[in-house]
Amino acid sequence: MCTSIALTTGDFYFGRNLDLEYSFGEQVAVTPRQYPIVFRRAGECRRHHAMIGMATVMEGYPLYAEAANEKGLCIAGLNFPENAYYPPQEAADKANISPFELPLWVLGQCASVEEARALLNRTHIVGIPFSERMPLAPLHWHIADRESSIVVECMQSGMRVYDNPAGVLTNNPPFDFQLTNLRQYMGLRSGEPDNSFGAGLALAPFGRGFGTLGLPGDFSPASRFVKAAFLRLNSVCEEEENSSVSQFFHLLDAVAMPRGAVRADDRWDITTYSCCINAAKGVYYYKTYHNSQITAVDMHREDLESGEVKSFALETGLRICRAN
């Protein structure tokens, strides 16, 4: 359960809610240009674009949930259960890449969505887990830059790459359904509705917000997709950094999960963290479920010519600014 958003104001911003019932050892990780990326079937890349994002670092290897590179290209993997399929067979005529390698594969080489699209045409996603103890997660991916967004889905029918004019992504069903489903909400508007009953019945709203009557408020993936798309496409804020970052987190808050709303077996889905990346400046902002204070990590304050991943533990404890 997750929601990702791509938004352009003065700069380009990309981020997501990570909705889970547990922690996966996540931390903010900066992968510098000379960190040797070893792919299981595609060799080794010893120099590449630097990147920053949220990852589990296993054996020194950053397994990114979402990330942005220094060129402004971003990617996020979102849960796609029952639909995601990674064939065990390798392809002789393409680069064979495991799903856990895809963020590094794309961000390491590409500077734009168009370059990513071309690379994906030469890529075969193959079902190779990181280890026996860490099976592959069923994912689809949101890839975006300042100009456009795409969605990548690997299913039994093969890999599909969709244009994503909505600029958001959630989970199931597949992306083509999500775009079709938006047609049911074409009447939504940020302003007040017109009286369509006819001239014989004079009606006027008795409060604000009637233009959004019917906007979904539940936590299902399709409903979160509609709500996030509407809020993103109608978003208004100043172009400077603080206003943009604040607005981005407000968009994510509107589809976030408080504990108790969504049960997952004997636990509860919550928004474990929300993040906003200024992809133009390489600054990763985040907050966690218990810590609403925004924390920032700037990749350009690190040595991007290093050969080692630099990671930052999350600030998870509640912080209160006491006025007296």
Side-chain angles (χ1 to χ4, degrees), residues 48-118:
H48 46 78
H49 301 317
M51 60 198 82
I52 186 171
M54 192 72 80
T56 300
V57 181
M58 299 289 293
E59 301 171 10
Y61 195 98
L63 302 171
Y64 280 111
E66 78 286 327
N69 69 16
E70 60 186 310
K71 302 298 182 180
L73 182 65
C74 306
I75 186 171
L78 287 80
N79 201 27
F80 195 46
E82 301 175 8
N83 284 304
Y85 175 76
Y86 313 127
Q89 303 85 7
E90 297 180 26
D93 59 340
K94 294 186 177 183
N96 293 281
I97 297 298
S98 171
F100 74 83
E101 298 172 328
L102 190 64
L104 293 170
W105 177 250
V106 171
L107 297 186
Q109 302 178 70
C110 302
S112 67
V113 165
E114 287 309 307
E115 288 184 13
R117 192 193 299 269

Side-chain angles (χ1 to χ4, degrees), residues 170-238:
T170 56
N171 314 105
N172 292 333
F175 184 71
D176 54 353
F177 169 88
Q178 306 284 19
L179 286 185
T180 300
N181 186 49
L182 284 181
R183 299 184 185 187
Q184 299 187 91
Y185 301 92
M186 292 169 57
L188 295 174
R189 55 191 295 184
S190 57
E192 299 305 325
D194 297 324
N195 177 16
S196 59
F197 272 87
L201 185 60
L203 297 175
F206 51 79
R208 300 290 188 187
F210 277 80
T212 59
L213 204 62
L215 181 67
D218 63 87
F219 294 103
S220 67
S223 292
R224 284 184 286 109
F225 187 97
V226 173
K227 190 173 187 181
F230 177 82
L231 295 175
R232 173 193 174 270
L233 292 168
N234 288 279
S235 176
V236 177
C237 72
E238 291 78 18

Side-chain angles (χ1 to χ4, degrees), residues 288-309:
T288 65
Y289 189 82
H290 290 295
N291 181 16
S292 294
Q293 176 178 294
I294 296 171
T295 302
V297 180
D298 186 341
M299 69 185 297
H300 294 288
R301 290 180 176 267
E302 300 303 315
D303 179 9
L304 297 184
E305 290 298 333
S306 169
E308 297 182 357
V309 173

